[in-house]
Amino acid sequence: VGLGNDGVIALSVAGEGGVNVGSYTATASLENDNYILQNTTQSFTIKAREINLVWANLTFEYDGKAKTPTASVQGQGSDGLLVAAVVGETGVDVGTYTATATLANANYVVKNPEQQYKIEQRKLTVVWEDVSFTYNGSEQTVPTPTLSNAGGLETEINLTCENLTYKNAGNYVASASVSANFTIVSGATFAYEI
């Protein structure tokens, strides 16, 4: 640094022009032959720009199909549309899973690439037929109930009913249970009398 008595020294910088992420080298030169540069080259780095993802659809109700959340980019770069691809675990059964999002554009890095999401039990209502029995000396049976919000998954639900059949006069309570991906929110039990 410093000027001689012969005026302003014009310095020009050439070499690689960095746009994308990577390492580059710039070269400086002088137009005045009366001077020699001692450090004519300099390396520099362009780092990936950090961005945030907006995650959505983080809670699902079980329906027997694979589920993943969605992710969109918050803010776009000047080099085009950024699309987040969601990979990682694909949940089917009830539980908590982790999804991972990646970008095809190496000029950006995701600050929040992982997101937990969950699949909750499908909520069922057991509908019992309103019945009334009078003692007749024979066993009498409550009809098998139907299900509301089954979503065509009856074979998976595995509806199991107990205490449907009795002979003697008395008060009884029938009960229903389902498999692990489901839960009964109404009608788990049914009281009846002979």
Side-chain angles (χ1 to χ4, degrees):
V1 179
L3 297 176
N5 294 327
D6 51 355
V8 176
I9 298 176
L11 178 69
S12 61
V13 179
E16 296 178 285
V19 176
N20 295 317
V21 168
S23 297
Y24 301 89
T25 301
T27 303
S29 61
L30 296 175
E31 296 179 2
N32 190 327
D33 294 334
N34 293 324
Y35 300 90
I36 297 175
L37 288 178
Q38 293 184 337
N39 53 335
T40 58
T41 61
Q42 176 64 52
S43 61
F44 65 97
T45 301
I46 298 178
K47 296 181 179 180
R49 180 176 179 175
E50 291 186 332
I51 60 170
N52 285 309
L53 294 179
V54 178
W55 290 91
N57 301 319
L58 303 180
T59 302
F60 300 91
E61 183 178 66
Y62 176 79
D63 64 1
K65 300 176 183 178
K67 302 295 180 185
T68 54
T70 57
S72 58
V73 176
Q74 190 177 44
Q76 302 293 341
S78 59
D79 52 353
L81 180 67
L82 299 177
V83 179
V86 179
V87 296
E89 291 184 285
T90 298
V92 177
D93 293 323
V94 169
T96 300
Y97 301 87
T98 300
T100 302
T102 61
L103 294 175
N105 192 330
N107 291 321
Y108 301 86
V109 61
V110 179
K111 293 175 67 175
N112 56 333
E114 292 187 344
Q115 177 65 53
Q116 284 194 336
Y117 67 102
K118 60 183 178 179
I119 299 175
E120 297 179 338
Q121 291 174 307
R122 190 176 188 87
K123 298 175 177 62
L124 304 175
T125 295
V126 179
V127 181
W128 300 86
E129 183 179 335
D130 189 12
V131 295
S132 178
F133 299 110
T134 300
Y135 176 77
N136 62 9
S138 300
E139 290 187 338
Q140 301 185 74
T141 302
V142 173
T144 300
T146 59
L147 293 168
S148 175
N149 194 39
L153 301 170
E154 285 81 2
T155 57
E156 291 187 43
I157 291 172
N158 190 27
L159 176 65
T160 302
C161 297
E162 298 180 345
N163 305 323
L164 297 182
T165 302
Y166 285 97
K167 175 181 178 180
N168 296 325
N171 293 301
Y172 303 96
V173 178
S175 62
S177 60
V178 292
S179 54
N181 285 322
F182 306 86
T183 184
I184 298 173
V185 295
S186 178
T189 60
F190 174 69
Y192 63 100
E193 181 181 3
I194 297 177

